[in-house]
Structure formats: structure tokens, C-alpha cells
Amino acid sequence: MATKSLKKRESELANSNRQLEILSNGIFQNGELPTFASKIAETDQFPLKAKKLEILQINVGYMCNQVCEHCHVDAGPDRKEIMTRETMQQCLEVIKKTGAHTLDLTGGAPEMNPDFRWFVEEAAKAGIKDFIVRSNLTIIRANKKYYDLPEFFKKHNVHVVSSMPHWTRGKTDKQRGDGVFDKSIKALQELNAIGYGMPDSDLRLDLVYNPSGAFLPGDQVSMEKDFKKALMEDFGIQFHNLFAITNLPISRFLDYLIASENYEDYMYQLVDAYNPAAVANVMCTNTLSVSWDGYLYDCDFNQMLELPVNSKAKHISEYNEELLEGRKIVISQHCYGCTAGAGSSCQGTVA
Amino acid sequence: MSKNYYDPADLRKFGKITEWSEELGNKFFDYYGKVFEEGALTAREKSLIALAVAHTEQCPYCIDAYTKDGLQRGVTKEEMMEAIHVGAAIKSGATLVHGVQMMNKVNKLDG
Ligand code: SF4
Ligand code: SF4
């Protein structure tokens, strides 16, 4: 398993233009498979447009304590892109006045941003209904300075959303690194101990499942049942909901698909599983993604592909909700990942 | 025409069988879909049965399809291999149990 990001390895796939080229060439260029634009046009859903903003997702930096095989952020300890307090300040201005009901902090490991706690404390004051932090769990056990994170989250009524690719050690560690499973279990037990994820608790703890290889996620409801049963029986762990998320063919997952000679088959799987009903609710229609340096994107995936929003307001400092509403979403073939089967978003299925 | 009897790309064309006999094809796919729904058995259990049978039938399309189906359902490789052993045990058991017929015959003819 790699211990460095694609960027550090100077892989050609660290270049977003190269990724976009791959996604437009070959089977999509020769007409073997339809482009995403032509597919959604079949049901009159082109161009895809943003509706009213509901979720503001802020990526506070690409640094992470892990180097997961399929990370769409290409995150890792070697990534130095970190949101400054100044940009956070600009985000806070927006958080105070936004009509969005959900604030979603992500990374990398957001907790590694030196101003993370300050930002959470300030953002919590805005009283947004649902305040999510995407925590990778192992960070809580990575260093003494993070041991009190569960208490910190509780104090600010943060909704914790964490990745867990499988309920067995082998499959989890294969995707996320040796020892990740045991540390994640310990972190979940600690969160449970202070009330997170318990059946009647308001302290929300949800898990994200994404497949460990070149296949699509199974039915979210059945997966949740299986996860709950196994984690309860084996470790006495409880959580609220499971979000089944499809791996999008970008960044390290794209690198994996190509290296394992699964790229074409995977694209076929995505296109075969295309569900027009999922298109209406893909997350870019109600989400806005802010990068570590304050730029605006339709989603976290477009952020990684460096496809900025198609709007006059391009930066958090120029933020204008009315202006952004109705903007045309920037799409490419990676978007098929959001419309396969029951659809996929940061909040799980959409159809 | 392909030079091979089996081509992985053919699996995607399975649905096309309805084109040459629409009613029967559709009835088959309706039945097929219904069989694999959650019922007295879970869809996961049915997927493992399908995987075992795919092996005893030695159908490469079904093996590909139900291996992937299992992965999608979070089935582990240990579970998949055990399911195949069940199929293999029945196959070999079915061969061996006919040994009794051979024994009966020997006893009758040469007992
Ligand atoms: S924990 Fe998340 S951000 Fe970090 S490497 Fe893994 S997938 Fe990427
Ligand atoms: S990848 Fe982003 S832009 Fe494309 S459909 Fe999904 S959320 Fe929308």
C-alpha cells in the first residue's frame, strides 16, 4: 500500500487535466459508451442546474494521517494545502447568513488543521441545524492531542460521520492501511461511551461505507443491517445510519482502476447502473463545496478535478447565494458515479 | 463472430435474449428478478446459493456475476469459498453416492 499521495509521487494522475482527459477519451470518445451529458439529455435533464442551497461543505485541507488506497482527495500526511484562519473567517461570514441547513466540514482529516477547533467553536455559534464533521476515526487515536476529540465534538453538538469500509479487519485494513480497523473500533467505542450513536441519543454518529474495490455498493438498507449486526455482536458498537457511497473514478481510485485494469469494466458498470431518477437529486443540486483556499465548486469531486463553479461568484469572499442558485453544474463522466443504482452523495443514496 | 465460446462482454448482452422471443424472455427476467428478492431467505443468502450453483454449473458468466454481487453485498472471500465448497461437496457426494448403485450391481451380478 502506498504511503505517499499521487502528488508526492509525481504521478501523472495527480494532474486533474490528465484525469479529465482519461474520462473523456477512449470508450467515451469512440461512442462505445454515452457521455454523461448525452445520457442526462435523454431525459431532458441537461443542463443540470443548482437548486436552493441546503448543504455547505467546506474542505479545510488535504492533509490526512491516512493514505487510503481509494481517496478521491489524494490526501495524506504529505499534503500541505491547509485552510488559513483568514479564509475560515470569510467562511464564517457566509455560515452566519446562509440559508443552508447543513454545514459539512471535510478534508483530509479536518482535525489536523491547526485552526480546526477555533473554527468549529465559531461555526457552532451560528446555530446551523446540522453541523457535520467528517472524521476518519483513527485521528482520534493518532496522537494524545486528539484523544479528547469525542468530548470536543459533544460539547459543540457536532454530528460525526466516519468511514468504515467493512466490519472485518482484513477488508478495512486493505483499503485504509494496517491497524486502521482496530483504531477505528476503539474510536467508535469511545464515541459510544459518551453517548454518540446510541439509539435515543441526539449525538449523531453515522458511518460511510464505500466499496473496497472495483464494484458498486450494495443496497444501503441491507448493508446497514449487516454492519449493525456485526459491529454489535463483535464489539458492542452502535451507530445511527450507514451511508453507502459509490467510489467515483477520479484521483487515487482512478489510479487504482487503471493499474488493476478495471477502468473500462468499472465505467461500464456505472453506465449500466445509470438511474435517471437519481439525477434530480445529485448532491451538486443542493450543495456547494469550498476548497481550502476558498474557491467554490459544485461538489468535492469537482474540487479535486479543479472544475470551478460556473458562476460570477467564484470565491467564498464573493459568495452570493442568489447568484449561485440556478448555475449550470460542471459535469464530466465521473458524474456517473453519482447516478448509479440508488445514486450516491456524501449523505448516501439519493433515489 | 468471436473465436471463443465465452466472451466476458457477452454477459452485458444477456438482456437481448428478449429480442428474439419477447414474451418468454420477459417472463424469464421477471421470474429471475423475483427469485432474488428478499423473502424467507435474505438476498444475501440467495446470492451465496447462486454463487455455489454457478460453480457446480460451471457457468463463467454466473461466476463473474455472483462474485461481484457478493462483493457488493459485503460478502467476504471466506464466505464465498465456503459456499463453493458446499457446491463441491454436493457434486462429489452426488458422484460417490452412485457408488452404492455400482456396489448393488456388483453384488447382484457377482455376489
Ligand atoms: S481518511 Fe479520508 S481523506 Fe484521509 S486518506 Fe482516507 S479517504 Fe482520504
Ligand atoms: S460528481 Fe459532482 S457535479 Fe457530478 S453529479 Fe456528482 S455531485 Fe454533481
Side-chain angles (χ1 to χ4, degrees), chain A residues 21-40:
Chain A
E21 244 171 60
I22 292 170
L23 288 167
S24 298
N25 289 348
I27 42 180
F28 292 101
Q29 198 173 44
N30 67 19
E32 227 177 278
L33 289 178
T35 61
F36 188 69
S38 62
K39 197 75 188 166
I40 61 174

Side-chain angles (χ1 to χ4, degrees), chain A residues 166-167 215-216 218 223 226 268-269 272, chain B residues 12 38 44 68 71-76:
Chain A
H166 204 264
W167 56 82
F215 52 92
L216 306 184
M223 294 296 293
D226 292 340
Y268 268 104
Q269 276 186 73
D272 285 348
Chain B
R12 288 184 79 235
E38 278 308 292
R44 191 176 197 273
K68 193 185 280 174
L71 287 170
Q72 290 179 347
R73 292 178 194 284
V75 175
T76 62

Side-chain angles (χ1 to χ4, degrees), chain A residues 63-245:
Chain A
M63 187 184 278
C64 191
N65 58 317
Q66 291 182 192
V67 194
C68 303
E69 201 179 351
H70 299 157
C71 182
H72 76 270
V73 180
D74 191 26
D78 56 57
R79 295 301 297 261
K80 305 290 182 244
E81 299 86 340
I82 287 287
M83 187 177 272
T84 61
R85 198 181 269 227
E86 193 191 345
T87 308
M88 286 178 171
Q89 198 62 266
Q90 293 174 327
C91 292
L92 286 169
E93 292 309 311
V94 170
I95 292 167
K96 280 182 209 154
K97 58 179 194 211
T98 176
H101 55 64
T102 300
L103 174 65
D104 186 343
L105 298 194
T106 187
E111 301 92 334
M112 290 179 88
N113 182 309
D115 291 313
F116 170 75
R117 293 192 192 221
W118 171 81
F119 190 43
V120 169
E121 279 161 13
E122 293 301 311
K125 290 182 195 158
I128 287 192
K129 207 168 130 222
D130 190 7
F131 185 3
I132 296 174
V133 171
R134 292 186 187 263
S135 175
N136 70 21
L137 294 176
T138 60
I139 190 75
I140 296 175
R141 303 299 311 162
N143 185 304
K144 259 200 190 124
K145 68 178 177 189
Y146 298 123
Y147 284 1
D148 68 328
L149 274 172
E151 286 293 348
F152 176 77
F153 290 146
K154 181 175 177 174
K155 186 166 165 222
H156 297 286
N157 198 21
V158 163
H159 170 179
V160 178
V161 177
S162 297
S163 285
M164 191 87 196
H166 204 264
W167 56 82
T168 57
R169 182 175 290 107
K171 289 200 88 160
T172 300
D173 287 0
K174 176 179 155 287
Q175 182 184 349
R176 295 178 74 80
D178 283 344
V180 166
F181 184 76
D182 290 342
K183 277 193 201 142
S184 302
I185 291 295
K186 181 101 183 47
L188 285 172
Q189 285 166 335
E190 284 173 12
L191 286 161
N192 274 174
I194 59 166
Y196 267 104
M198 304 312 275
D200 296 319
S201 172
D202 290 335
L203 295 167
R204 308 267 334 151
L205 172 62
D206 296 325
L207 296 185
V208 167
Y209 159 80
N210 63 313
S212 53
F215 52 92
L216 306 184
D219 174 64
Q220 182 168 276
V221 177
S222 329
M223 294 296 293
E224 182 179 292
K225 264 194 224 147
D226 292 340
F227 262 87
K228 284 197 166 162
K229 186 165 174 279
L231 288 179
M232 186 63 193
E233 276 174 10
D234 297 348
F235 307 102
I237 287 171
Q238 306 200 63
F239 65 95
H240 291 127
N241 290 111
L242 182 85
F243 304 150
I245 297 189

Side-chain angles (χ1 to χ4, degrees), chain B residues 31-47:
Chain B
Y31 167 73
Y32 193 101
K34 201 84 201 147
V35 164
F36 282 96
E37 281 175 10
E38 278 308 292
L41 292 177
T42 63
R44 191 176 197 273
E45 287 163 340
K46 290 179 186 186
S47 175

